[in-house]
Structure formats: C-alpha cells, structure tokens
Amino acid sequence: MATCSAPGKIYLFGEHAVVYGEPAIACAIELRTRVSAKKSDTIAITSSIGTTGLDFEVHPYVSSAIEKLGSENVSINISSELPVGSGLGSSAAVTIATLAAINIEFGLGNDLSDLAGMGHEIEKEVQGAASPTDTFVSAFGGAVEIPSRKRLDLPDCGVVIGNTNKGASPKKTAKLVKQVARLKEEYPDMINPIIKTIGSFSRKGEVLISKKDYSSLGRLMNVNHGLLDALGVGTLELSALVYAARDAGAYGAKITGAGGGGCMVALTDSPFEVASAIEKSGGEAIITKFTSRGVMSE
Ligand code: PMV
C-alpha cells in the first residue's frame, strides 16, 4: 500500500486578477489530504462521503485520476483536513495525492511535473476551467508566483484560516469568475485598473516577502481584500471575520480564493488571539503554517 499526502493553499494576493494575466502569490499550507492506494481486484473509493466504484458524480477527481493513470484495479482511501469547495484547494490536494499514491503503488514512474500537469488536466475536465495554481502548489509546496511559477521565500510568520462555513461549493469559483467577467465587460474603464492594481500587490509582495516585512505585506493584503470586495466577491460573513482578525492584531487579513463565502486568511504572529476573535465573530478558525512540503509519501 502507498500513502501520500498533499497540501492545500491560500492566496496572499491576486485571485481573480490572475484570470486576466496579472500575477498572484499562492502559498501551500500544512492542512493536508491523505490518500492511500492499494492494489486490489476491483476499483473502490472510500471517503467521508462513502464508498463507490469509479464514480464521476460522487468522486469525480479521484475517478478521473484513476482513469488518467490507466484505470488499474485499486482500493483508494481518502481523509482530509481541508474544508471542501472553500478556496483552500481541496480538490487539487485530493487529485495530486491520489495521482502520487497510485504512481507509487503501481511503479508508474511519473515525476512531480507530470503529476502536476495531469492534476491540472483533471481539474479542467471536472470543473470546465481551472488555473494551474492549485495543482502546482499542491504538488511542489512552498510559496509560488503565478503564472511565472517563480518560487518565493516561505513567509515565516503564522497563518490563521477563518471558515465562514457558508457558500462552499465546487461550482462557486466558475460562477464568481463569470460574475467578475460581466462586471469587467460592462465597466472596463473602472474595473481594469482594479485588476491591474491587484496585480501590483503581487509584484510588491514578492519584495516584502524577501525582506520579511510582514507588517507591510499585511497592509497590502487588507487593500487587496477591499478591492476583492469592490469586484463583488465579498460577503458580510467574510468581512466580519477579516475585521475581527485585524482588530485582534493580525498583520493583514483577506478573502482567499474565489470568495462568495468559503474562507478568509490572516497573517499573524499571535495566532491564538486571532483564532479566538474569528470564532467570536461566528467563523471556524484553523491555525496552520505555511509549508514547503508539497505532495509526499508517508
Ligand atoms: O476558490 P479557489 O481556490 O478555486 O480560487 C479561485 C481563484 C480564481 O482566481 C478566482 C480563479 C482561478 O482559477 O485562478
């Protein structure tokens, strides 16, 4: 039996703007999805949802991963620390961990880049559209600038996630990306500069990360949050958690991922205070760490 785990991710800057070619910075976080693969005489996939065979409705990512690697008879077991469809890259993590575990169990010899590429193909097939960010970060770990795939230093400060437990859905990203596209078509003169400005946070962010200037980094995350709100992807619940985290002393806090519910992220060196403020404001707080560890065998 082979067991692999793959991390989720947050965006420090640049979601939505990255769809229009602007840079974004994503970082892997130490919340992982574990997948074990064992040779078997049928295909069985077991997760918290239940056990199925190859089933593209219930287990679309894992079924596609099995198919992509030649539909070997395999028994798959999944457990995850990542909330689903909430902007933390849960689908990429399960896809990459499944590909890696099958790759080892059957000695298929694919390297990390192959797995990241296949993972991106699978996300596109299942979701209709997907940026390579989530699968790339889940495979390689660390902090990465997208689309250049330049590896950045890993911020060595704490990170707290706040989950609104609202609006989670795998289809949410596509809907919100379309919503921003409509706004951009209708008001290009106003929306294009917002998108360009979000891109500039990533450029500046790269410099601030290398200087370990987390207080300036946080301030720009706050501005990025305001502009995501301006693009219409914020919610009352997300902003409540963002403001609570800032009031509790976070360097900065913002939506992570597509928005419309799901999760926010706070950068902080007082994780317990920030987590407690998030909980008091109705969110579910998860204290985690940035990680350089991508997919790995366990
Ligand atoms: O919510 P997530 O983690 O799927 O992130 C979406 C990020 C977007 O920039 C809105 C879309 C994308 O594919 O880059």
Side-chain angles (χ1 to χ4, degrees), residues 36 49 100 117 131 160 176 183 193 208 223 228 232 238 241 244 289:
S36 64
I49 313 171
S131 82
V160 180
L176 288 162
L183 192 68
L208 296 173
V223 188
L228 285 168
L238 276 167
L241 305 189
K289 283 192 284 224

Short mmCIF file of all heavy atoms in Angstrom, two decimals, residues 36 49 100 117 131 160 176 183 193 208 223 228 232 238 241 244 289:
data_model
loop_
_atom_site.label_atom_id
_atom_site.label_comp_id
_atom_site.label_asym_id
_atom_site.label_seq_id
_atom_site.Cartn_x
_atom_site.Cartn_y
_atom_site.Cartn_z
N SER A 36 -4.53 6.81 0.44
CA SER A 36 -3.77 5.57 0.29
C SER A 36 -4.32 4.79 -0.89
O SER A 36 -5.53 4.83 -1.18
CB SER A 36 -3.81 4.75 1.58
OG SER A 36 -5.12 4.37 1.82
N ILE A 49 -17.67 10.70 2.29
CA ILE A 49 -18.99 10.64 1.63
C ILE A 49 -19.49 9.20 1.56
O ILE A 49 -20.68 8.96 1.52
CB ILE A 49 -18.91 11.21 0.18
CG1 ILE A 49 -18.17 12.53 0.14
CG2 ILE A 49 -20.29 11.34 -0.45
CD1 ILE A 49 -17.86 13.04 -1.27
N ALA A 100 -0.30 10.65 -6.92
CA ALA A 100 1.00 10.28 -6.37
C ALA A 100 0.95 8.89 -5.73
O ALA A 100 1.88 8.08 -5.89
CB ALA A 100 1.45 11.32 -5.35
N GLY A 117 0.91 18.38 -13.93
CA GLY A 117 0.27 18.58 -15.24
C GLY A 117 -1.01 17.77 -15.35
O GLY A 117 -2.06 18.28 -15.79
N SER A 131 -7.29 27.27 -13.15
CA SER A 131 -5.92 27.74 -13.34
C SER A 131 -4.99 26.65 -12.79
O SER A 131 -5.41 25.82 -11.99
CB SER A 131 -5.71 29.07 -12.60
OG SER A 131 -5.44 28.81 -11.24
N VAL A 160 -3.64 32.04 10.00
CA VAL A 160 -4.90 31.52 10.53
C VAL A 160 -5.94 31.62 9.43
O VAL A 160 -6.06 32.65 8.76
CB VAL A 160 -5.36 32.33 11.77
CG1 VAL A 160 -6.67 31.76 12.31
CG2 VAL A 160 -4.30 32.32 12.86
N LEU A 176 -18.32 32.85 -9.82
CA LEU A 176 -17.77 34.15 -9.45
C LEU A 176 -16.82 34.71 -10.50
O LEU A 176 -16.78 35.92 -10.72
CB LEU A 176 -17.08 34.06 -8.08
CG LEU A 176 -18.10 33.90 -6.95
CD1 LEU A 176 -17.44 33.37 -5.70
CD2 LEU A 176 -18.78 35.22 -6.65
N LEU A 183 -18.87 42.15 -14.97
CA LEU A 183 -18.63 43.50 -14.43
C LEU A 183 -17.55 44.21 -15.25
O LEU A 183 -17.66 45.40 -15.59
CB LEU A 183 -18.19 43.37 -12.97
CG LEU A 183 -18.14 44.63 -12.12
CD1 LEU A 183 -19.54 45.19 -11.88
CD2 LEU A 183 -17.48 44.33 -10.76
N PRO A 193 -8.52 48.95 -14.12
CA PRO A 193 -7.50 49.46 -13.18
C PRO A 193 -7.49 48.72 -11.85
O PRO A 193 -6.43 48.54 -11.24
CB PRO A 193 -7.90 50.92 -12.97
CG PRO A 193 -8.77 51.28 -14.12
CD PRO A 193 -9.43 50.02 -14.58
N LEU A 208 8.43 42.31 -0.45
CA LEU A 208 8.17 42.36 1.00
C LEU A 208 8.42 41.01 1.66
O LEU A 208 8.92 40.93 2.78
CB LEU A 208 6.73 42.83 1.27
CG LEU A 208 6.42 44.27 0.81
CD1 LEU A 208 4.93 44.56 0.96
CD2 LEU A 208 7.24 45.28 1.60
N VAL A 223 -5.66 45.92 1.65
CA VAL A 223 -6.13 46.68 0.48
C VAL A 223 -6.66 45.71 -0.58
O VAL A 223 -7.68 45.96 -1.23
CB VAL A 223 -5.01 47.58 -0.09
CG1 VAL A 223 -5.57 48.49 -1.17
CG2 VAL A 223 -4.37 48.43 1.00
N LEU A 228 -11.16 43.16 -3.69
CA LEU A 228 -11.98 41.97 -3.98
C LEU A 228 -13.44 42.27 -3.66
O LEU A 228 -14.36 41.89 -4.39
CB LEU A 228 -11.48 40.75 -3.19
CG LEU A 228 -10.18 40.12 -3.73
CD1 LEU A 228 -9.60 39.13 -2.73
CD2 LEU A 228 -10.41 39.44 -5.08
N GLY A 232 -17.02 42.59 -6.09
CA GLY A 232 -18.31 41.95 -5.81
C GLY A 232 -18.21 40.51 -5.34
O GLY A 232 -19.20 39.78 -5.37
N LEU A 238 -17.62 37.02 5.42
CA LEU A 238 -16.16 37.06 5.19
C LEU A 238 -15.57 38.32 5.78
O LEU A 238 -14.55 38.28 6.47
CB LEU A 238 -15.87 37.01 3.68
CG LEU A 238 -15.84 35.63 3.04
CD1 LEU A 238 -15.87 35.74 1.52
CD2 LEU A 238 -14.61 34.84 3.48
N LEU A 241 -15.18 38.29 9.58
CA LEU A 241 -14.00 37.54 10.06
C LEU A 241 -12.71 38.31 9.77
O LEU A 241 -11.78 38.32 10.59
CB LEU A 241 -13.95 36.15 9.42
CG LEU A 241 -15.19 35.25 9.57
CD1 LEU A 241 -14.88 33.84 9.09
CD2 LEU A 241 -15.71 35.22 11.00
N ALA A 244 -12.48 41.12 12.31
CA ALA A 244 -12.19 40.57 13.64
C ALA A 244 -10.71 40.21 13.74
O ALA A 244 -10.05 40.51 14.75
CB ALA A 244 -13.06 39.34 13.89
N LYS A 289 0.20 26.46 9.28
CA LYS A 289 1.54 27.01 8.98
C LYS A 289 1.72 26.99 7.47
O LYS A 289 1.14 26.13 6.78
CB LYS A 289 2.62 26.08 9.57
CG LYS A 289 2.81 26.23 11.04
CD LYS A 289 4.09 25.51 11.49
CE LYS A 289 3.88 24.05 11.53
NZ LYS A 289 4.32 23.24 12.58
#
